[in-house]
Amino acid sequence: MSLVDLIARADERGLAASGLACLDRCVPLLGGDDEILRPLWGNLTDASDAADWGGLLEQVRGKPAVDGDFGEGEGEGGDEAVLLARRMLSAAPAERTAEQLRAWADACSVASLRIHRLLDAADDPAPLDSRRAGGTEGMPPLAAAELRRQVTVLEVLAGHGAGGLRRALEVSVEGRRVLRAVVSRRARGRG
């Protein structure tokens, strides 16, 4: 099933985790520590916690590392990548409802893929919409891995509900490490 289809069929928890996972993998661009989004992940374990989502989101947005310096953004594609990551966080809906989360998860999917394309060493002329509707054949490696991670997160949550959150977080942590290494390598290359 395509990424677009998975987003269209996802429930509230799957949508929140999908958007959050995309944002989580891009934390290295925000200059925040790796645990900055942990309260939001924890909020997804119980459907009755949905009312707490907005308050937790404001706490995350108010953290000094997120509110101030947004980390390394210099160089080709860097400024745009940082801006896209900032927009993912600022666009997160204050209410954890399927309707609002679906638009956010979709936008985060596009933004995260765009970020990975910007930071990838190889070029990909295919439109993102076609990539999200199909497979990874011919995609540059960094962007292809991000597309696979997005699909995995949605599939795990569709198949296991709250029980899939741990695996979704593991997928995000793996992707965050990869992106952190790419950002670090680019910074060393400029220095």
Side-chain angles (χ1 to χ4, degrees):
M1 189 178 303
S2 78
L3 177 59
V4 173
D5 292 334
L6 288 167
I7 291 172
R9 295 179 183 190
D11 64 6
E12 176 190 310
R13 180 179 286 123
L15 293 167
S18 176
L20 191 54
C22 288
L23 178 59
D24 199 359
R25 287 188 294 274
C26 295
V27 161
L29 294 168
L30 297 176
D33 72 53
D34 288 349
E35 300 298 313
I36 198 161
L37 299 176
R38 183 67 74 167
L40 293 170
W41 279 105
N43 181 258
L44 300 181
T45 59
D46 188 351
S48 65
D49 290 344
D52 298 336
W53 172 268
L56 292 170
L57 183 59
E58 285 309 309
Q59 288 175 14
V60 168
R61 287 178 178 152
K63 299 273 184 187
V66 173
D67 193 35
D69 179 19
F70 280 85
E72 296 295 326
E74 303 300 321
E76 184 180 323
D79 292 334
E80 185 178 350
V82 171
L83 182 59
L84 288 166
R86 290 173 73 176
R87 285 182 183 159
M88 276 194 274
L89 180 58
S90 66
E95 292 183 29
R96 209 179 89 190
T97 64
E99 181 181 323
Q100 291 185 26
L101 289 168
R102 193 169 317 281
W104 180 61
D106 191 59
C108 286
S109 168
V110 171
S112 186
L113 284 168
R114 178 76 184 130
I115 287 168
H116 285 76
R117 265 184 159 181
L118 287 167
L119 299 176
D120 214 319
D123 190 32
D124 184 11
L128 278 179
D129 287 342
S130 70
R131 293 300 191 192
R132 293 178 59 217
T136 59
E137 188 175 325
M139 282 182 84
L142 190 63
E146 173 58 14
L147 181 62
R148 285 191 297 272
R149 285 185 189 96
Q150 289 186 27
V151 167
T152 299
V153 165
L154 286 161
E155 286 176 343
V156 164
L157 288 161
H160 302 286
L165 285 170
R166 179 180 300 260
R167 177 67 183 130
L169 184 56
E170 289 170 357
V171 168
S172 283
V173 168
E174 172 195 347
R176 185 182 335 120
R177 286 183 187 135
V178 169
L179 193 67
R180 187 173 303 286
V182 169
V183 169
S184 178
R185 186 171 52 245
R186 289 172 62 96
R188 281 193 309 271
R190 287 190 309 268

